[in-house]
Amino acid sequence: MKNSQLYKGSLNTIIMKLLEENGRMYGYEITQKVKLITKGELNITEGALYPALHKLEADGHLDVEVERVDNRMRKYYKLTETGEKETVNRLAELEEFIKNMQSLVSGAPKTDLQF
Amino acid sequence: MKNSQLYKGSLNTIIMKLLEENGRMYGYEITQKVKLITKGELNITEGALYPALHKLEADGHLDVEVERVDNRMRKYYKLTETGEKETVNRLAELEEFIKNMQSLVSGAPKTDLQF
DNA sequence: CAAATATACATAAATTTCTTATGTATAATA
DNA sequence: TATTATACATAAGAAATTTATGTATATTTG
């Protein structure tokens, strides 16, 4: 993807969440969806997306179905059962991450262990 | 740092924000502060921190002052003027990033260009 | 209708960022 | 006195991404 490096490390979570939400999607569709949702701010590059999809598949998190639409190839991906469980974990991690980042930038260090 | 890869790419922003807030800090202090704020969830490793500080300094975002406290060396870092401006940008990017990630995971794609 | 853009996949080289593993040194604690 | 805490540093390797290509078909535009 292309933008501030903050997005580094979030690609897999994004892919899995979109698949969880939409049932099945193909690569190009994912890039367009993300562009829409982020109003053009996040553009997933092919060089990042396809290897990520292949790895998620290799790890058993995704299943693939190849189809030909309008004489063009599409590879539809959907979450496996394992992938669904993993998605739940990743989304929980994302929530924690966001909370922590908000704590860090809101200058709210308090609420510490006090004896 | 050590955790879900979501934190990848956020180290510089964290460092700069903490320096903006605290005036000046030394490396070890930063690791402890982050640990406290995130309640132990985010542990910045030395192998990530020190190279990051050196790079920020090389890029003109940080100034260093070496001091000896209790017979131990400390390298205090503070933002340069350039660094302060850059920090504003990075924090804005972080806010956008968080918003975008929330849009992505909250399943709220709507509000698109409609003609 | 030719050229450019959009759709749709893929991979390889280089870069960036971080982890893991060390290393040095002093102070405090068990 | 051995371990843990404080405080710095760097180097090798891994992982994720960027950048640059490549192939192929469909659609739009000048």
Side-chain angles (χ1 to χ4, degrees):
Chain A
M1 63 196 98
K2 172 179 294 169
N3 298 281
S4 79
Q5 334 125 308
L6 290 170
Y7 293 91
K8 278 178 195 288
S10 62
L11 180 54
N12 285 329
T13 303
I14 292 172
I15 291 172
M16 294 174 89
K17 167 63 188 175
L18 289 178
L19 289 177
E20 185 197 58
E21 196 175 310
N22 297 284
R24 66 172 212 165
M25 301 178 80
Y26 56 99
Y28 186 76
E29 186 184 11
I30 291 175
T31 67
Q32 301 308 302
K33 194 84 166 181
V34 169
K35 202 180 288 182
L36 259 178
I37 295 178
T38 64
K39 293 166 190 173
E41 278 185 40
L42 177 53
N43 290 301
I44 297 178
T45 59
E46 296 152 298
L49 178 69
Y50 292 116
L53 288 171
H54 300 162
K55 179 152 201 311
L56 284 170
E57 188 196 351
D59 291 344
H61 295 311
L62 303 185
D63 274 342
V64 190
E65 287 168 18
V66 179
E67 284 181 30
R68 188 159 279 275
V69 181
D70 291 330
N71 205 32
R72 275 204 233 85
M73 180 178 56
R74 281 186 189 171
K75 291 180 78 172
Y76 280 97
Y77 290 90
K78 68 166 193 284
L79 292 170
T80 60
E81 274 187 50
T82 309
E84 279 175 27
K85 287 174 196 163
E86 184 61 19
T87 301
V88 175
N89 295 333
R90 306 254 181 140
L91 290 175
E93 273 181 17
L94 178 59
E95 265 191 64
E96 278 311 304
F97 166 67
I98 289 177
K99 276 184 202 168
N100 281 329
M101 290 306 289
Q102 282 173 333
S103 295
L104 284 163
V105 302
S106 71
K110 314 301 168 245
T111 322
D112 298 330
L113 17 156
Q114 33 200 296
F115 304 97
Chain B
M1 64 195 99
K2 170 178 296 168
N3 296 280
S4 78
Q5 335 125 309
L6 289 169
Y7 292 92
K8 271 182 200 291
S10 62
L11 179 55
N12 286 329
T13 303
I14 292 172
I15 291 171
M16 294 173 89
K17 166 62 188 176
L18 289 179
L19 290 176
E20 186 199 56
E21 197 174 310
N22 297 285
R24 66 171 211 164
M25 300 178 82
Y26 56 99
Y28 185 76
E29 187 184 10
I30 291 175
T31 67
Q32 301 308 302
K33 193 83 166 182
V34 169
K35 203 180 289 181
L36 257 178
I37 296 178
T38 65
K39 293 166 190 172
E41 276 187 40
L42 178 52
N43 290 302
I44 298 178
T45 60
E46 297 152 298
L49 178 68
Y50 293 116
L53 287 172
H54 299 162
K55 179 153 200 310
L56 284 170
E57 187 195 350
D59 290 346
H61 295 313
L62 301 186
D63 274 343
V64 190
E65 287 168 20
V66 180
E67 285 181 31
R68 189 159 277 276
V69 180
D70 290 330
N71 203 31
R72 275 205 234 84
M73 179 177 57
R74 280 187 189 171
K75 292 181 76 173
Y76 280 97
Y77 290 91
K78 68 165 194 285
L79 291 170
T80 60
E81 275 186 49
T82 310
E84 280 175 27
K85 287 175 195 161
E86 184 61 20
T87 300
V88 174
N89 294 334
R90 305 254 182 138
L91 290 175
E93 274 182 15
L94 177 59
E95 265 191 63
E96 278 311 305
F97 166 68
I98 289 177
K99 277 184 202 166
N100 281 330
M101 289 306 290
Q102 283 174 333
S103 295
L104 283 162
V105 301
S106 72
K110 314 300 169 239
T111 324
D112 298 330
L113 18 156
Q114 35 200 295
F115 305 97

